[in-house]
Amino acid sequence: MNGINPEVFDYITPMAGASRDLVELADRDQLSPTYGCFYYPYWRSKSSDYVNARCQEAVYTLALLYKNDYPGVSCRGREEIRELAVAGALFWASLQHSDGSFDEWYAGEHGFAATAFSGFALSETFLLLREELSSKDHEVIKKALSGAAGWLCRHDDLDKINHEAVGAAALYSLGETLGEDRFREEAERKVKLVLDRQTREGWFPELGGVDTGYSFLTLEYLSQCYLHSRDERLKDALGRALDFLAYFVHPDLTTGREYNLCGNSYISLLAGSIMGEFSPLARSLFSAGIARGNAMVQLAQDDLSRCYHLYNGLLAYDHYRENEGIWGRDRRELPFKGDPFRRFFPESGLAAVKTARYYAVSAGKSGGLVKVFSEGGDLSFQDRGYTLTAQDQKSRSSFRLGPDNTVSWSDEGEMKVTASFREGSYYFPHPLARFLLKSISSLPGGYLIVKKGIDFIRRRKNASFQLTAVSGRASSRRLNRTITFKDESIEIVDEISGEVGEGSLKAMIEVEVKTNGLISTRPAVGDEARLSEILSGSGGVKIEKKITPHSDRVDVDYSTL
């Protein structure tokens, strides 16, 4: 293992192996018109009629493999790795629109994310390989990088704030790659825009709400901006963000998929490895993430994420190796490992509680969703509330985000929530909508019309189009929930109110116990028929629950009054 920490070795070996396997996603036929394309649905299965330019980010991963040594693979100096990285960069350049932008989700998108993320990755690739490029390839790629940089200077995305942070990191890199001070100045402007929007609690708003996973992604790219600027204001902002986010690092080293606005569960070990230079808390985050061993699940869930994210896994290792001396310094424990506390964040509506028996988080704005991890075990308990299905077959749930939901907190560790039962709005574009999208985007300036429409809808719904379900219309039925976090247990009192005369209702009690991330039991299933009967008759009901976590089980006492 060449003196590498065993846990770090176990982290990087599968990461490097998955990175090497990216070559299997690429068109490797040098005579093919799509040589170097990493978007498998386009060049291989022919199921897509456009190329997602972000898949070309895989070339950065290959460039890192070509230039550096990683355990478990023998790719350094391998000619095909270099050739494929160069071919992928040239193919990326061929995808560029005349204005400098690229597409990700549909043809003619001119997407900010596609241009920022791929611009960053290809700029870093160019820095690694430019001495080995032919003069022709050098000019083709450099021209495309310059076009992407110019486009990013002219555009901002302050709704999806992580995009703006990525754009800043891309411009810092492009400024260095192309020797253009004006790109660095634009990067500084974008960083300021992001920091101006950081909340008092430390998180970065995503579509106007809290998403701890996307805040970690923002933290990741702002950390890379810090490597360029060494700016003290940015350093302070990074620390404040991590101080908040650390409370929502679960013991299984994930964050709030169930309660985040966009459902992102990402935790950035790259941010931890960069910030470890100055942050004892970041050193603990990186070390805990390495020890947990779930980085591959986060970075390589599918072909898209492998192309998008594996280089960040390699970079985290590279920063660790470059600064090995810092990991023995003092650390500040992550909250789930520290002393008992009760903490509420009113802006986000999130709470975190640590006792000797459990670690819990609760999302007040998601109807008082509660997630509990037993101390010293692999068990977790989750109570999302209730889903009621009426005779019209419409289902309405108490855990949907809603502007009329209210949250309060007492110093004794009691959260009170009022939430509407809301429909879930499931978005799958109709074939006609896809046709119109493609047709309008192909017209001169048509993409601007499409983008304005998409931005209007996502602002109105406070949701990304990549989400399957978002909060829909509210019903008259309400949930009043009181959660009391005691030292040994959690007590929940729910009162469901509503009008009599709604007809027959089918109730689901959204309670589950998970072992190693998979549902093992749904302890309240046997009580659903009784709850359905009561709600169908009286319209209202009171329910009491007591959750007592143990290392090998979670006891749930349940009563309907």
Side-chain angles (χ1 to χ4, degrees):
M1 293 189 293
N2 298 322
I4 303 173
N5 178 305
E7 290 178 343
V8 175
F9 182 85
D10 290 342
Y11 160 83
I12 191 56
T13 303
M15 191 76 65
S19 299
R20 181 259 175 244
D21 290 343
L22 283 174
V23 300
E24 306 302 334
L25 289 179
D27 185 351
R28 299 162 71 180
D29 180 356
Q30 295 188 11
L31 300 179
S32 169
T34 57
Y35 174 48
C37 176
F38 283 82
Y39 191 47
Y40 201 86
Y42 181 78
W43 77 264
R44 179 65 173 173
S45 68
K46 310 296 192 296
S47 57
S48 175
D49 61 357
Y50 82 102
V51 178
N52 176 351
R54 285 208 57 194
C55 288
Q56 300 307 113
E57 294 171 40
V59 303
Y60 185 23
T61 305
L62 295 188
L64 289 168
L65 291 178
Y66 177 73
K67 298 296 286 188
N68 301 329
D69 282 319
Y70 297 101
V73 296
S74 300
C75 295
R76 185 174 183 178
R78 290 295 182 94
E79 186 63 13
E80 186 178 8
I81 296 294
R82 185 195 67 81
E83 289 176 348
L84 200 53
V86 173
L90 292 170
F91 191 78
W92 170 78
S94 75
L95 301 173
Q96 190 172 44
H97 291 293
S98 60
D99 64 357
S101 64
F102 291 86
D103 297 337
E104 180 180 10
W105 296 113
Y106 57 90
E109 178 189 9
H110 298 254
F112 191 97
T115 309
F117 279 101
S118 71
F120 172 81
L122 271 294
S123 175
E124 294 294 313
T125 301
F126 188 78
L127 281 170
L128 290 172
L129 299 180
R130 62 180 167 186
E131 298 302 323
E132 303 184 46
L133 296 172
S134 69
S135 58
K136 179 181 177 181
D137 292 346
H138 185 283
E139 289 307 309
V140 169
I141 298 169
K142 183 177 179 181
K143 181 180 178 182
L145 291 172
S146 181
W151 191 92
L152 288 171
C153 289
R154 300 189 300 272
H155 295 81
D156 295 300
D157 189 346
L158 300 176
D159 293 319
K160 296 278 285 181
I161 202 69
N162 77 89
H163 293 175
E164 193 74 1
V166 178
L171 284 169
Y172 269 123
S173 177
L174 288 159
E176 179 181 348
T177 299
L178 302 172
E180 294 270 6
D181 289 341
R182 63 190 178 101
F183 296 150
R184 180 185 177 91
E185 292 168 2
E186 280 297 314
E188 292 171 352
R189 181 185 68 83
K190 286 186 183 296
V191 168
K192 184 178 185 301
L193 287 174
V194 175
L195 299 190
D196 286 347
R197 284 156 178 78
Q198 186 177 24
T199 65
R200 292 186 300 274
E201 293 175 348
W203 48 279
F204 299 97
E206 197 73 17
L207 294 171
V210 62
D211 189 294
T212 55
Y214 271 119
S215 277
F216 262 116
L217 186 61
T218 301
L219 188 74
E220 179 170 279
Y221 280 88
L222 288 179
S223 297
Q224 295 185 85
C225 292
Y226 176 74
L227 293 175
H228 288 273
S229 71
R230 299 292 174 174
D231 178 72
E232 286 299 313
R233 183 194 175 196
L234 175 54
K235 179 180 176 180
D236 177 67
L238 294 173
R240 288 195 299 114
L242 186 57
D243 283 346
F244 170 83
L245 292 171
Y247 283 99
F248 304 99
V249 175
H250 305 157
D252 63 357
L253 267 290
T254 63
T255 190
R257 181 188 299 277
E258 301 86 356
Y259 52 81
N260 279 335
L261 180 68
C262 298
N264 192 327
S265 62
Y266 181 59
I267 288 178
S268 174
L269 299 189
L270 175 55
S273 69
I274 295 172
M275 292 174 60
E277 176 186 323
F278 59 83
S279 167
L281 183 58
R283 291 195 282 275
S284 288
L285 174 67
F286 178 79
S287 299
I290 292 295
R292 181 68 189 183
N294 67 339
M296 285 295 294
V297 175
Q298 298 217 346
L299 296 175
Q301 298 172 353
D302 51 39
D303 289 347
L304 287 181
S305 61
R306 289 164 65 197
C307 291
Y308 290 9
H309 302 308
L310 280 173
Y311 58 82
N312 290 321
L314 298 182
L315 289 173
Y317 172 79
D318 291 342
H319 283 286
Y320 165 82
R321 294 287 292 191
E322 289 169 11
N323 300 284
E324 282 189 269
I326 69 172
W327 304 106
R329 297 180 191 170
D330 63 307
R331 297 180 185 176
R332 179 178 141 206
E333 289 287 6
L334 291 167
F336 77 80
K337 290 185 174 184
D339 295 329
F341 67 86
R342 291 175 173 83
R343 185 74 186 270
F344 176 63
F345 298 89
E347 275 187 284
S348 63
L350 297 176
V353 175
K354 169 74 164 62
T355 74
R357 184 180 285 272
Y358 65 82
Y359 190 81
V361 296
S362 185
K365 294 181 181 179
S366 293
L369 180 150
V370 178
K371 189 160 187 171
V372 186
F373 294 85
S374 59
E375 183 70 22
D378 292 316
L379 290 175
S380 66
F381 167 89
Q382 180 174 285
D383 183 345
R384 296 201 300 176
Y386 308 88
T387 294
L388 307 178
T389 303
Q391 288 179 315
D392 60 7
Q393 298 303 307
K394 290 184 177 179
S395 296
R396 299 171 178 88
S397 303
S398 62
F399 53 81
R400 307 286 185 196
L401 288 166
D404 55 347
N405 292 357
T406 63
V407 191
S408 64
W409 175 265
S410 72
D411 293 337
E412 291 73 36
E414 183 179 86
M415 176 184 278
K416 291 189 176 183
V417 175
T418 301
S420 298
F421 279 77
R422 291 180 171 272
E423 297 175 21
S425 177
Y426 290 82
Y427 178 69
F428 295 95
H430 188 275
L432 178 59
R434 293 182 184 273
F435 173 77
L436 290 173
L437 179 73
K438 182 178 178 181
S439 300
I440 295 172
S441 296
S442 66
L443 298 173
Y447 78 93
L448 294 172
I449 299 172
V450 172
K451 186 178 186 304
K452 287 182 183 296
I454 289 175
D455 286 347
F456 172 78
I457 294 171
R458 71 180 188 179
R459 287 192 197 106
R460 184 179 177 185
K461 289 185 172 291
N462 289 111
S464 168
F465 275 113
Q466 289 94 300
L467 292 176
T468 301
V470 297
S471 295
R473 183 179 305 169
S475 70
S476 61
R477 193 174 288 277
R478 310 279 287 177
L479 171 67
N480 294 302
R481 166 168 283 198
T482 301
I483 309 163
T484 306
F485 295 95
K486 298 191 171 183
D487 290 342
E488 300 292 317
S489 63
I490 298 166
E491 296 180 359
I492 301 175
V493 178
D494 290 331
E495 294 184 55
I496 302 176
S497 63
E499 297 180 4
V500 180
E502 289 181 297
S504 176
L505 288 172
K506 180 182 177 181
M508 287 180 60
I509 303 171
E510 301 272 4
V511 170
E512 57 197 32
V513 176
K514 293 184 178 181
T515 305
N516 293 321
L518 296 176
I519 297 173
S520 52
T521 60
R522 290 187 171 93
V525 168
D527 298 291
E528 290 178 344
R530 174 61 178 154
L531 179 60
S532 300
E533 181 182 343
I534 293 172
L535 289 172
S536 299
S538 66
V541 68
K542 183 176 181 179
I543 302 160
E544 295 183 352
K545 305 170 194 167
K546 182 178 180 181
I547 299 98
T548 308
H550 303 270
S551 61
D552 60 346
R553 70 186 191 279
V554 178
D555 294 335
V556 182
D557 297 321
Y558 180 93
S559 63
T560 303
L561 306 177

